[in-house]
Amino acid sequence: MGRSYLYLLLAIIFEIIATTFLKKSEQFTKLLPSIITLIGYIVTFYLLSLTLRQVPVGIAYAIWSGVGIIFITIIGIVVFKQVPDLPAIIGILLIVIGVVVINLFSKMGSH
């Protein structure tokens, strides 16, 4: 099971990189950021597929999206100067709370 969560962590990292470079690609008009985006997403989905051998899809996706949204929001603030407003912050907190609840209390599959 530990290896599956390592794959999930790596999938999250590659997804964060790919999403960051998606913004930098300027609608795929810049070659290098576009290539990094495409490679990042390919690696992400491959690693996510490896994760799903052991981790239920709902659990994996909740963790992936919850952690991803936190880091992408931080990158958006620091790199792109996109400061979230109060409703966005509340929404993000609700997503994080949902991920925590699933991981602490769910009996869904083995995780």
Side-chain angles (χ1 to χ4, degrees), residues 13-110:
I13 291 168
F14 277 94
E15 188 268 336
I16 291 166
I17 292 167
T19 301
T20 301
F21 278 88
L22 180 62
K23 171 73 172 155
K24 290 182 172 284
S25 77
E26 296 183 18
Q27 297 78 47
F28 293 105
T29 60
K30 293 191 173 185
L31 184 60
L32 185 58
S34 298
I35 291 169
I36 293 170
T37 297
L38 294 172
I39 292 170
Y41 282 127
I42 289 167
V43 173
T44 294
F45 287 114
Y46 175 71
L47 290 166
L48 186 60
S49 75
L50 296 177
T51 301
L52 297 178
R53 291 178 179 170
Q54 297 282 324
V55 180
V57 68
I59 300 295
Y61 197 76
I63 295 168
W64 181 40
S65 60
V67 173
I69 196 170
I70 291 168
F71 282 97
I72 289 298
T73 301
I74 292 167
I75 290 168
I77 293 167
V78 173
V79 176
F80 302 114
K81 309 299 184 223
Q82 299 171 335
V83 181
D85 58 9
L86 183 59
I89 292 169
I90 291 170
I92 291 167
L93 286 173
L94 289 171
I95 292 167
V96 171
I97 290 167
V99 170
V100 170
V101 168
I102 287 170
N103 281 287
L104 290 179
F105 303 109
S106 174
K107 302 285 186 242
M108 183 178 166
S110 56

